[in-house]
Amino acid sequence: MSLEFKLIEISDKQWVQELVGKSNFRGCEYSFGTSYMWSSIFDIQIAKYKNFYLSKTKDGFWFPAGDGNLREVISVLKDYATEIKRPLIFTNADKASTEILQELYGEQLEITTNRDYYDYVYDYESLSTLKGRKLHGKRNHLNRFYENRWSFEPITPENIEEVAAMHNKWCDEKSVYDDPEKLREAGAVIRGLDAFFELGFVGGIIRVENAEGEMEIQAYSFGSEINNRDKDTFIVHVEKAFATTQGVYAAINKEFINYAGAGKGYSYVNREEDMGAENLRKAKMSYRPAFLLEKYRVLFK
């Protein structure tokens, strides 16, 4: 059976989520929304083989999600990689998947890892309450923020244009258009906002009173549920804020997580990787992740 990879489209959402739901991955790659937002940037293409969801990028393949004969689907991927004159490389295999590959293929594999691509996974209750001695500093920032006149509201069809305008203003202030890496991320965010409701995203905004007495958007965030078997993980795709108001980042994090997870029974929140950015790593570590989701590059020699 020949594989036919194609660019990801919104119409693929149902079958992709159905197959991903047969596995229990918590990595950001297995969020349909993440794949859709970044598809043109990383050339993410997808295919179906029996009960497996397959993905490839310009750097390699993702570990198959679904159920069935793993040896068979990997054999099919090997043949496909040979056809397109590329090695078979899984770029995002988690620890459990890597151990399965080692058991099946042993010395045929070359395994490496890169801390820059580990996902930050937090305990939902901890992130939504910020309780505990280790998060005392975050609560102090939050208390300073709550001294302002502020409000939280979900992202809706009525205010999403305001969110896009705030995003563009944020990009201007951060000189995003002068940095190719930041510009790529800005494009992915706009792609997500353009298809926000079709993708099933959940979002929130925080308004703060400005000097003119107007309630203007100071922060926004959006994400979605990772459609794994346990349905226990929410992923935050985007979080942006103007740092002119003390504690606004802590506020959008806490208020949004509480809104997005209300009644859902989530155990974890995935806030994706830091891509090696020092300031971003420091910020993500400051919220005390429950664990870092390790990822491995597995090359079939």
Side-chain angles (χ1 to χ4, degrees):
M1 180 178 179
S2 178
L3 295 178
E4 295 184 4
F5 281 89
K6 62 183 281 293
L7 292 174
I8 192 168
E9 301 174 75
I10 292 177
S11 58
D12 295 309
K13 180 183 172 186
Q14 183 174 348
W15 72 264
V16 169
Q17 291 194 330
E18 179 182 342
L19 294 184
V20 171
K22 295 178 182 296
S23 302
N24 219 26
F25 299 123
R26 296 190 180 94
C28 61
E29 305 85 358
Y30 296 100
S31 157
F32 184 83
T34 298
S35 297
Y36 180 83
M37 288 170 62
W38 290 91
S39 59
S40 60
I41 295 166
F42 292 114
D43 190 26
I44 299 172
Q45 298 185 31
I46 63 175
K48 181 179 180 181
Y49 178 78
K50 295 187 176 178
N51 264 349
F52 284 102
Y53 163 63
L54 308 176
S55 304
K56 74 180 182 76
T57 71
K58 58 188 178 183
D59 298 319
F61 299 83
W62 294 348
F63 190 84
D67 61 14
N69 188 321
L70 187 60
R71 276 189 180 275
E72 178 184 340
V73 71
I74 289 178
S75 176
V76 170
L77 282 170
K78 280 183 178 180
D79 291 343
Y80 177 80
T82 300
E83 287 177 23
I84 62 174
K85 297 179 172 57
R86 287 171 58 176
L88 178 58
I89 303 173
F90 291 125
T91 59
N92 71 323
D94 64 15
K95 189 174 182 179
S97 301
T98 302
E99 289 173 350
I100 291 171
L101 291 172
Q102 285 179 301
E103 184 177 336
L104 292 175
Y105 300 100
E107 294 183 359
Q108 298 179 45
L109 308 177
E110 179 181 295
I111 300 171
T112 56
T113 190
N114 187 337
R115 165 71 170 77
D116 294 352
Y117 300 104
Y118 290 7
D119 284 1
Y120 290 77
V121 182
Y122 303 82
D123 177 79
Y124 175 83
E125 183 178 358
S126 174
L127 203 61
S128 64
T129 62
L130 297 180
K131 290 181 179 178
R133 181 177 57 82
K134 292 181 178 180
L135 294 171
H136 176 72
K138 293 296 181 186
R139 293 197 303 278
N140 283 342
H141 283 296
L142 198 59
N143 290 335
R144 296 292 78 77
F145 174 81
Y146 287 152
E147 293 172 359
N148 296 282
R149 181 171 172 244
W150 67 280
S151 64
F152 174 88
E153 64 192 73
I155 293 178
T156 66
E158 288 70 37
N159 62 28
I160 196 166
E161 291 300 324
E162 285 186 87
V163 176
M166 183 264 180
H167 174 71
N168 290 334
K169 183 179 178 182
W170 185 91
C171 288
D172 287 337
E173 291 194 5
K174 298 293 183 180
S175 301
V176 164
Y177 305 107
D178 300 326
D179 185 323
E181 192 70 29
K182 291 179 179 178
L183 186 58
R184 293 197 310 173
E185 189 217 5
V189 172
I190 290 298
R191 184 169 168 81
L193 288 172
D194 285 345
F196 188 91
F197 302 104
E198 294 91 334
L199 290 168
F201 286 163
V202 179
I205 63 177
I206 279 184
R207 297 182 190 269
V208 181
E209 185 178 29
N210 62 20
E212 289 73 39
E214 300 168 335
M215 298 295 288
E216 66 177 5
I217 298 178
Q218 287 278 307
Y220 78 93
S221 184
F222 66 81
S224 60
E225 182 181 289
I226 294 182
N227 196 54
N228 63 4
R229 187 170 58 243
D230 289 348
K231 299 188 181 300
D232 62 355
T233 306
F234 185 83
I235 181 168
V236 177
H237 300 303
V238 179
E239 181 183 276
K240 302 293 182 189
F242 296 122
T244 50
T245 304
Q246 182 181 356
V248 67
Y249 269 107
I252 187 61
N253 167 71
K254 184 176 183 296
E255 298 298 327
F256 174 57
I257 290 301
N258 276 284
Y259 167 73
K264 299 292 186 180
Y266 294 131
S267 299
Y268 302 106
V269 179
N270 182 325
R271 290 174 60 84
E272 302 189 350
E273 66 277 297
D274 61 39
M275 303 292 284
E278 184 178 346
N279 288 339
L280 187 57
R281 178 169 297 184
K282 183 178 179 181
K284 288 179 182 288
M285 288 299 295
S286 71
Y287 281 97
R288 308 292 180 173
F291 60 90
L292 297 181
L293 183 62
E294 299 174 9
K295 297 181 184 180
Y296 296 86
R297 180 181 184 272
V298 182
L299 165 68
F300 283 75
K301 294 185 288 189

